[in-house]
Amino acid sequence: PFRLDSPRPTMKLKDYAYNEIRFKALTLSRPSEAEGVMAAAQAAVSEKYRQYEELAALEGHRFPA
């Protein structure tokens, strides 16, 4: 079975990504586009973790050997 051993992220992706210059530069040059891209990226991260939680909730016998 799939075992999810990491906790749900507590920090928003935006807070993490904007510590890097390459992402922060986009907010300075194209703020509205940066906001849209970051919102889409956050949605993708949240959905992926939701999928991992769903897989972890399945019983082991449902996975082929």
Side-chain angles (χ1 to χ4, degrees), residues 18 24 31 34-35 39 46-47 54 59 63:
Y18 287 164
K24 188 68 175 174
E35 186 176 324
S46 298
E47 174 60 17
E54 190 175 289
E59 295 174 14
F63 292 94

Side-chain angles (χ1 to χ4, degrees), residues 1-3 13-14 17-21 23 28 30-32 46 52-55 57-59 62:
F2 178 75
R3 177 184 282 166
L13 178 62
K14 178 170 80 171
Y18 287 164
N19 287 323
E20 294 193 26
I21 293 173
F23 297 119
L28 301 173
R30 297 180 177 188
S32 61
S46 298
Y52 289 153
E53 288 177 323
E54 190 175 289
L55 285 173
L58 294 176
E59 295 174 14
R62 297 190 59 194

Side-chain angles (χ1 to χ4, degrees), residues 24-53:
K24 188 68 175 174
L26 185 59
T27 65
L28 301 173
S29 62
R30 297 180 177 188
S32 61
E33 291 179 20
E35 186 176 324
V37 167
M38 196 53 64
Q42 181 64 58
V45 167
S46 298
E47 174 60 17
K48 182 55 74 176
Y49 197 84
R50 187 200 65 74
Q51 291 172 353
Y52 289 153
E53 288 177 323

